[in-house]
Amino acid sequence: MQEEVKRSLSAETIALLRHPRTHEPLRYEATVTEDDRFREWLVADESAERFPIEDGIPIFVQPDDIVGLNKKYRTFCELSAPLYDFFIRLYSYLWGGSEALWRQEFLRELEINEGDRVLEVSVGTGGNLRFLPETAEYFGLDLTKGMLKQCRRNLRRWQRSATLFNGDAERLPFDDDSFDVVFHVGGINFFNDQEAAIQEMIRVAKPGSKILIVDETDEGISHYEKMPGLGLLVRSERQAAKAPVDLVPSKMLDIYVNTVSNGAFYCLTFRKPRGNTVFSVRRENSVGKNAYTAS
Ligand SMILES: C[S@@+](CC[C@H](N)C(=O)[O-])C[C@H]1O[C@@H](n2cnc3c(N)ncnc32)[C@H](O)[C@@H]1O
């Protein structure tokens, strides 16, 4: 018997989506296989590429595309996804606080209004979303499928909703100026290309939006270094643990860095200017880094 045919993405969401490298618009396509299975795709006609939608989640990155540090941390996150929430609660307890308290300390920087479109880059298991107002529309992207699966389970449990995407922060699959709020917590220290990720967050944010980037400080990382297993993973990249403020384009406004959770996390905020500042984007057809110049 044929599976129930239900479109995973709304027309409004599909209109926001773009090929992560060429930025061309994507077309939705559904097919029914010979064994009556319903399959969904996002199709880039110009570059003749198709991105599958698996279990309602568009897949914009394939394992072979992921290299370097991104590959190392994705492998770690795939393995640890089922235990991630437990460890977060445990570490929060060991640091003498609750998860709600330390998350709210940086989340209060966000300016979320009713009906806003909010994007969390590297949403993980969704731990931040439960502390944000229910009156906005949420979108979460992550490199690790296991984290997204756990996120979906959590969202059901918390009776919250968000549209999820499997993709790379360094090449976001969204149109320019799409989101009222863009934020990232807890991954950028170990990205291959922090600058590309910051430029992508700026590109997809609407002019006037405030952008928030949070990750561990050197001091925060030193907590993990004492943990068996985790220590080995983070020690070699420890020099990366500082707010990437030098990578924020000088045209951004109100650039501000402070620390939260007794110095364990840095919290970098800035605002994308309104008006006619143009972020010209070099669009590529072949596999390669997106490149931007603010002009
Ligand atoms: C420490 S978790 C943080 C999750 C969540 N933001 C939170 O606050 O609990 C880091 C997340 O970054 C994701 N990540 C790592 N590299 C990424 C990349 N290049 N693009 C998108 N997500 C990435 C991992 O899969 C993981 O879910």
Side-chain angles (χ1 to χ4, degrees):
M1 201 177 78
Q2 189 173 319
E3 287 175 20
E4 191 192 347
V5 176
K6 190 166 177 292
R7 210 177 152 119
S8 302
L9 301 173
S10 69
E12 291 77 22
T13 298
I14 294 166
L16 294 177
L17 297 177
R18 292 292 180 273
H19 186 303
R21 288 189 305 277
T22 66
H23 295 182
E24 68 198 85
L26 301 174
R27 177 172 60 76
Y28 174 87
E29 194 179 284
T31 53
V32 179
T33 59
E34 279 176 11
D35 57 347
D36 271 350
R37 295 189 89 73
F38 181 58
R39 292 275 175 269
E40 298 174 287
W41 305 87
L42 292 159
V43 182
D45 286 318
E46 270 172 53
S47 50
E49 277 183 73
R50 293 158 73 80
F51 301 95
I53 304 177
E54 293 175 8
D55 273 340
I57 300 180
I59 309 296
F60 285 109
V61 67
Q62 293 301 328
D64 287 351
D65 302 336
I66 306 168
V67 296
L69 278 179
N70 288 353
K71 183 173 178 174
K72 178 171 161 182
Y73 283 93
R74 176 178 166 276
T75 305
F76 172 74
C77 289
E78 285 295 6
L79 293 171
S80 59
L83 296 173
Y84 179 80
D85 292 338
F86 169 76
F87 279 115
I88 287 289
R89 279 195 297 275
L90 179 69
Y91 295 155
S92 306
Y93 173 75
L94 294 177
W95 292 334
S98 75
E99 182 181 351
L101 274 181
W102 66 259
R103 287 196 188 275
Q104 279 160 350
E105 212 180 332
F106 51 76
L107 291 176
R108 68 177 175 218
E109 293 290 338
L110 296 175
E111 295 171 349
I112 301 180
N113 294 306
E114 195 173 332
D116 274 356
R117 246 185 240 144
V118 179
L119 171 67
E120 181 172 4
V121 176
S122 305
V123 66
T125 60
N128 294 309
L129 301 183
R130 69 190 296 203
F131 300 111
L132 296 177
E134 290 188 29
T135 50
E137 187 184 4
Y138 293 95
F139 298 81
L141 172 135
D142 203 280
L143 193 61
T144 308
K145 285 184 183 174
M147 298 292 261
L148 290 172
K149 279 189 191 148
Q150 188 59 44
C151 182
R152 208 164 39 185
R153 265 180 240 132
N154 285 340
L155 290 170
R156 273 194 208 118
R157 201 152 47 83
W158 302 327
Q159 300 188 331
R160 298 295 305 260
S161 68
T163 309
L164 303 178
F165 306 91
N166 180 219
D168 186 347
E170 296 163 23
R171 289 186 195 135
L172 293 177
F174 306 113
D175 197 6
D176 302 356
D177 305 338
S178 291
F179 298 96
D180 301 281
V181 176
V182 178
F183 74 103
H184 166 85
V185 179
I188 195 165
N189 278 351
F190 302 130
F191 282 179
N192 280 349
D193 190 340
Q194 298 186 350
E195 188 170 13
I198 291 172
Q199 286 171 333
E200 281 292 82
M201 287 186 238
I202 295 168
R203 180 182 66 79
V204 303
K206 289 183 186 172
S209 317
K210 186 175 179 185
I211 295 169
L212 166 71
I213 297 175
V214 176
D215 209 346
E216 272 101 2
T217 57
D218 198 44
E219 195 185 331
I221 293 247
S222 68
H223 292 301
Y224 295 125
E225 282 185 337
K226 295 173 201 135
M227 311 277 171
L230 258 184
L232 278 179
L233 186 80
V234 296
R235 202 167 295 138
S236 51
E237 265 75 51
R238 185 166 173 174
Q239 76 288 348
K242 67 177 178 58
V245 66
D246 297 346
L247 303 179
V248 177
S250 58
K251 288 200 170 174
M252 293 301 115
L253 306 174
D254 309 333
I255 302 173
Y256 186 71
V257 189
N258 67 345
T259 57
V260 292
S261 287
N262 299 321
F265 293 90
Y266 60 77
C267 179
L268 166 63
T269 54
F270 53 91
R271 193 174 298 281
K272 178 171 174 174
R274 290 181 198 278
N276 58 3
T277 300
V278 175
F279 287 86
S280 52
V281 179
R282 198 174 71 224
R283 294 161 207 271
E284 299 190 5
N285 281 316
S286 54
V287 177
K289 266 196 339 188
N290 291 332
Y292 306 87
T293 46
S295 56

